[in-house]
């Protein structure tokens, strides 16, 4: 059954050559942020995976809240078979069955609308992310520079080949544009078919944000060649109150809590006092006459301002602490994998040394025995 995205990212252990998907429901006009972070990989593998973000894979009617506040769905197994939308009549009329039917029909739907994704509001985004060379050490920086240089060289070679092909065809057709050139053999690069290779500079979650044009269920799937552990999350601007103007991603849950706390402090500062508070203020004034040189209104105002500032600093510290935790975890996993590789390499070298030594001993012994026989 599909796994629904929850409040905080959870870790998923994905076996080699397997995939894992999470789902979230959006309405038109929402912003969706898809977050992925590879926590660990096995000793022989890389902290890398192929990511697929797509939707709407299921109708927005699936899981919609009715007037009673209950989840509902439009699902009739017999009707779907009669209309040809499904080949198999499902035995259960549940939300999971309704969603699974839509997911099964998704590839055919994508193929049908392949020419107008933008008009239909279909998201079909894929990329490959690799944390092998992420980080601030010199080796990682040099490796990223090499990868960037290789990409530039490949793009330059592709442009050069295309220019040569255009020049060849121009010479064959007379060298001038006539308006009736043959374009049947022209090959266009399929931009939507390219898989972007992403190498994050920092060891932190990678985020991708997109406005939603078509209501429904969207998913993010991770597929890997080797066993990895990943953190996955899908955030909605409708649930978290918008997007961060600095990052242009949907607020994280920690950021939303900090903003709510700051708004609560400001509300206490600006709201009109109630009758009980007015009475309490009169009592306080009476006490103030008896107590001189005590805390005044300006002190309370300053305290509220300091609370707001402290709340903002705590939010920043939490964010930095999380980033540091990700970096420490990444370095720890790299060190563990490197240690195991070194140990394995040492065992192999020792075994080879023993084999070579035994072969030399055998050769020398055989040579000495042959000398004794001849002597």
């Amino acid at each position: 059954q599909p796994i629904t995205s929850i409040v905080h990212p959870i870790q998923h252990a994905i076996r080699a050559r397997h995939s894992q998907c999470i789902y979230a429901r959006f309405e038109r006009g929402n912003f969706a942020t898809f977050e992925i972070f590879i926590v660990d990989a096995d000793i022989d593998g890389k902290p890398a995976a192929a990511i697929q973000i797509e939707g709407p894979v299921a109708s927005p009617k699936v899981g919609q809240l009715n007037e009673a506040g209950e989840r509902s769905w439009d699902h009739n197994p017999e009707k779907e078979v009669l209309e040809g939308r499904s080949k198999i009549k499902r035995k259960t009329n549940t939300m999971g069955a309704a969603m699974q039917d839509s997911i099964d029909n998704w590839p055919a739907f994508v193929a049908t609308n392949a020419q107008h994704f933008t008009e239909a509001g279909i998201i079909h985004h894929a990329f490959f992310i690799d944390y092998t060379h992420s980080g601030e050490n010199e080796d990682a920086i040099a490796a990223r520079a090499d990868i960037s240089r290789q990409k530039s060289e490949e793009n330059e070679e592709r442009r050069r080949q295309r220019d040569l092909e255009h020049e060849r065809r121009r010479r064959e057709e007379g060298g001038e544009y006539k308006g009736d050139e043959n374009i049947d053999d022209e090959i266009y690069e399929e931009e939507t078919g390219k898989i972007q290779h992403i190498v994050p500079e920092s060891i932190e979650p990678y985020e991708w944000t997109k406005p939603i044009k078509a209501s429904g269920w969207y998913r993010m799937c991770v597929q890997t060649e080797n066993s990895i552990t990943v953190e996955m999350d899908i955030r909605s601007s409708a649930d978290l109150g918008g997007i961060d103007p600095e990052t242009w991603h949907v607020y994280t849950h920690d950021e939303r809590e900090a903003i709510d706390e700051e708004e609560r402090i400001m509300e206490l500062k600006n709201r009109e006092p109630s009758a009980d508070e007015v009475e309490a203020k009169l009592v306080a004034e009476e006490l103030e006459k008896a107590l001189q040189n005590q805390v005044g209104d300006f002190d309370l105002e300053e305290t509220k301002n300091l609370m707001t500032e402290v709340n903002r600093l705590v939010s920043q510290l939490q964010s930095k602490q999380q980033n540091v935790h990700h970096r420490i975890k990444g370095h720890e996993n790299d060190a563990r994998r490197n240690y195991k590789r070194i140990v394995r390499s040492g065992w192999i070298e020792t075994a080879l040394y023993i084999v070579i030594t035994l072969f030399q001993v055998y050769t020398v012994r055989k040579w000495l025995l042959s000398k004794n026989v001849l002597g």
Side-chain angles (χ1 to χ4, degrees), residues 2-10 12 20-26 30-37 51-55 57 99 123 206-210 212 216-222 231-240 249-253:
I3 300 176
T4 304
S5 176
I6 62 174
V7 174
H8 295 286
I10 60 176
H12 302 264
Q20 177 67 61
C21 302
I22 60 174
Y23 297 74
R25 185 177 177 276
F26 294 94
N30 296 157
F31 277 77
T33 292
F34 302 84
E35 180 181 310
I36 176 72
F37 178 65
I51 314 298
Q52 182 79 43
I53 300 172
E54 53 189 357
V57 298
M99 194 164 181
I123 294 179
Y206 176 80
E207 297 175 310
W208 188 79
T209 300
K210 198 74 172 177
I212 300 300
W217 287 83
Y218 290 74
R219 69 180 178 183
M220 176 172 63
C221 298
V222 178
E231 288 183 358
M232 306 165 61
D233 190 29
I234 304 176
R235 304 195 300 272
S236 170
S237 60
D239 298 332
L240 295 170
H249 297 302
V250 175
Y251 288 116
T252 64
H253 300 279

Side-chain angles (χ1 to χ4, degrees), residues 223-235:
Q223 186 174 10
T224 176
E225 291 297 324
N226 53 271
S227 298
I228 61 173
T229 302
V230 299
E231 288 183 358
M232 306 165 61
D233 190 29
I234 304 176
R235 304 195 300 272

Side-chain angles (χ1 to χ4, degrees), residues 4 19 25 68 83 94-95 153 217 222 229 253 262 268 363:
T4 304
S19 63
R25 185 177 177 276
E83 293 179 353
T94 63
M95 176 179 166
E153 292 175 354
W217 287 83
V222 178
T229 302
H253 300 279
E262 185 174 343
L268 292 174
T363 304

Side-chain angles (χ1 to χ4, degrees), residues 254-270:
D254 292 335
E255 290 171 344
R256 183 72 261 169
E257 290 177 2
I259 293 173
D260 291 342
E261 180 65 17
E262 185 174 343
E263 290 177 350
R264 188 185 67 81
I265 295 174
M266 296 302 296
E267 183 180 354
L268 292 174
K269 176 181 177 181
N270 300 325

